[in-house]
PDB file of all heavy atoms in Angstrom:
ATOM      1  N   GLY D  87       4.806   5.997 -10.798  1.00 98.00           N
ATOM      2  CA  GLY D  87       5.584   4.949 -11.431  1.00 98.00           C
ATOM      3  C   GLY D  87       4.927   4.202 -12.546  1.00 98.00           C
ATOM      4  O   GLY D  87       5.498   3.267 -13.114  1.00 98.00           O
ATOM      5  N   ALA D  88       3.666   4.571 -12.877  1.00 98.00           N
ATOM      6  CA  ALA D  88       3.048   3.943 -14.021  1.00 98.00           C
ATOM      7  C   ALA D  88       3.831   4.344 -15.284  1.00 98.00           C
ATOM      8  O   ALA D  88       4.213   5.494 -15.433  1.00 98.00           O
ATOM      9  CB  ALA D  88       1.577   4.365 -14.145  1.00 98.00           C
ATOM     10  N   GLN D  89       4.022   3.399 -16.160  1.00 98.00           N
ATOM     11  CA  GLN D  89       4.707   3.710 -17.415  1.00 98.00           C
ATOM     12  C   GLN D  89       3.707   3.884 -18.562  1.00 98.00           C
ATOM     13  O   GLN D  89       4.051   3.852 -19.738  1.00 98.00           O
ATOM     14  CB  GLN D  89       5.736   2.627 -17.718  1.00 98.00           C
ATOM     15  CG  GLN D  89       6.868   2.642 -16.682  1.00 98.00           C
ATOM     16  CD  GLN D  89       8.029   1.789 -17.100  1.00 98.00           C
ATOM     17  OE1 GLN D  89       7.950   0.565 -17.125  1.00 98.00           O
ATOM     18  NE2 GLN D  89       9.164   2.428 -17.426  1.00 98.00           N
ATOM     19  N   GLY D  90       2.482   4.104 -18.166  1.00 98.00           N
ATOM     20  CA  GLY D  90       1.433   4.371 -19.115  1.00 98.00           C
ATOM     21  C   GLY D  90       0.114   4.458 -18.406  1.00 98.00           C
ATOM     22  O   GLY D  90      -0.027   3.964 -17.264  1.00 98.00           O
ATOM     23  N   VAL D  91      -0.835   5.111 -19.041  1.00 98.00           N
ATOM     24  CA  VAL D  91      -2.175   5.190 -18.467  1.00 98.00           C
ATOM     25  C   VAL D  91      -3.181   4.726 -19.520  1.00 98.00           C
ATOM     26  O   VAL D  91      -2.992   4.886 -20.725  1.00 98.00           O
ATOM     27  CB  VAL D  91      -2.523   6.625 -18.011  1.00 98.00           C
ATOM     28  CG1 VAL D  91      -1.759   6.980 -16.755  1.00 98.00           C
ATOM     29  CG2 VAL D  91      -2.271   7.638 -19.124  1.00 98.00           C
ATOM     30  N   VAL D  92      -4.271   4.155 -19.007  1.00 98.00           N
ATOM     31  CA  VAL D  92      -5.414   3.817 -19.837  1.00 98.00           C
ATOM     32  C   VAL D  92      -6.518   4.762 -19.379  1.00 98.00           C
ATOM     33  O   VAL D  92      -6.896   4.737 -18.190  1.00 98.00           O
ATOM     34  CB  VAL D  92      -5.800   2.327 -19.638  1.00 98.00           C
ATOM     35  CG1 VAL D  92      -7.010   1.993 -20.502  1.00 98.00           C
ATOM     36  CG2 VAL D  92      -4.625   1.427 -20.002  1.00 98.00           C
ATOM     37  N   VAL D  93      -7.012   5.572 -20.288  1.00 98.00           N
ATOM     38  CA  VAL D  93      -7.932   6.647 -19.952  1.00 98.00           C
ATOM     39  C   VAL D  93      -9.324   6.294 -20.465  1.00 98.00           C
ATOM     40  O   VAL D  93      -9.511   6.142 -21.660  1.00 98.00           O
ATOM     41  CB  VAL D  93      -7.468   7.978 -20.565  1.00 98.00           C
ATOM     42  CG1 VAL D  93      -8.379   9.123 -20.140  1.00 98.00           C
ATOM     43  CG2 VAL D  93      -6.020   8.262 -20.176  1.00 98.00           C
ATOM     44  N   PRO D  94     -10.294   6.159 -19.571  1.00 98.00           N
ATOM     45  CA  PRO D  94     -11.612   5.676 -19.994  1.00 98.00           C
ATOM     46  C   PRO D  94     -12.440   6.765 -20.669  1.00 98.00           C
ATOM     47  O   PRO D  94     -12.198   7.965 -20.489  1.00 98.00           O
ATOM     48  CB  PRO D  94     -12.266   5.261 -18.680  1.00 98.00           C
ATOM     49  CG  PRO D  94     -11.647   6.116 -17.649  1.00 98.00           C
ATOM     50  CD  PRO D  94     -10.228   6.363 -18.113  1.00 98.00           C
ATOM     51  N   LEU D  95     -13.429   6.325 -21.464  1.00 96.00           N
ATOM     52  CA  LEU D  95     -14.512   7.176 -21.910  1.00 96.00           C
ATOM     53  C   LEU D  95     -14.059   8.400 -22.705  1.00 96.00           C
ATOM     54  O   LEU D  95     -14.563   9.490 -22.511  1.00 96.00           O
ATOM     55  CB  LEU D  95     -15.345   7.598 -20.688  1.00 96.00           C
ATOM     56  CG  LEU D  95     -15.997   6.444 -19.887  1.00 96.00           C
ATOM     57  CD1 LEU D  95     -16.536   6.950 -18.562  1.00 96.00           C
ATOM     58  CD2 LEU D  95     -17.104   5.779 -20.692  1.00 96.00           C
ATOM     59  N   VAL D  96     -13.088   8.185 -23.559  1.00 98.00           N
ATOM     60  CA  VAL D  96     -12.640   9.299 -24.421  1.00 98.00           C
ATOM     61  C   VAL D  96     -13.511   9.292 -25.689  1.00 98.00           C
ATOM     62  O   VAL D  96     -13.550   8.296 -26.408  1.00 98.00           O
ATOM     63  CB  VAL D  96     -11.155   9.121 -24.764  1.00 98.00           C
ATOM     64  CG1 VAL D  96     -10.717  10.139 -25.820  1.00 98.00           C
ATOM     65  CG2 VAL D  96     -10.317   9.296 -23.486  1.00 98.00           C
ATOM     66  N   SER D  97     -14.152  10.398 -25.929  1.00 98.00           N
ATOM     67  CA  SER D  97     -15.187  10.444 -26.968  1.00 98.00           C
ATOM     68  C   SER D  97     -14.899  11.414 -28.092  1.00 98.00           C
ATOM     69  O   SER D  97     -15.590  11.381 -29.118  1.00 98.00           O
ATOM     70  CB  SER D  97     -16.542  10.825 -26.332  1.00 98.00           C
ATOM     71  OG  SER D  97     -16.951   9.814 -25.439  1.00 98.00           O
ATOM     72  N   THR D  98     -13.915  12.282 -27.918  1.00 98.00           N
ATOM     73  CA  THR D  98     -13.616  13.273 -28.963  1.00 98.00           C
ATOM     74  C   THR D  98     -12.108  13.393 -29.117  1.00 98.00           C
ATOM     75  O   THR D  98     -11.351  13.072 -28.191  1.00 98.00           O
ATOM     76  CB  THR D  98     -14.198  14.657 -28.598  1.00 98.00           C
ATOM     77  OG1 THR D  98     -13.488  15.150 -27.450  1.00 98.00           O
ATOM     78  CG2 THR D  98     -15.674  14.604 -28.283  1.00 98.00           C
ATOM     79  N   PRO D  99     -11.671  13.922 -30.247  1.00 98.00           N
ATOM     80  CA  PRO D  99     -10.214  14.144 -30.385  1.00 98.00           C
ATOM     81  C   PRO D  99      -9.726  15.186 -29.387  1.00 98.00           C
ATOM     82  O   PRO D  99      -8.565  15.130 -28.973  1.00 98.00           O
ATOM     83  CB  PRO D  99     -10.072  14.590 -31.842  1.00 98.00           C
ATOM     84  CG  PRO D  99     -11.434  14.837 -32.371  1.00 98.00           C
ATOM     85  CD  PRO D  99     -12.414  14.100 -31.494  1.00 98.00           C
ATOM     86  N   GLU D 100     -10.597  16.129 -29.002  1.00 98.00           N
ATOM     87  CA  GLU D 100     -10.188  17.097 -28.016  1.00 98.00           C
ATOM     88  C   GLU D 100      -9.882  16.416 -26.679  1.00 98.00           C
ATOM     89  O   GLU D 100      -8.895  16.728 -25.997  1.00 98.00           O
ATOM     90  CB  GLU D 100     -11.264  18.185 -27.800  1.00 98.00           C
ATOM     91  CG  GLU D 100     -11.470  19.096 -28.996  1.00 98.00           C
ATOM     92  CD  GLU D 100     -12.188  18.419 -30.146  1.00 98.00           C
ATOM     93  OE1 GLU D 100     -12.893  17.407 -29.920  1.00 98.00           O
ATOM     94  OE2 GLU D 100     -12.026  18.858 -31.312  1.00 98.00           O
TER      95      GLU D 100
END
Side-chain angles (χ1 to χ4, degrees):
Chain D
Q89 294 191 291
V91 287
V92 179
V93 183
L95 299 168
V96 171
S97 296
T98 66
E100 292 73 23

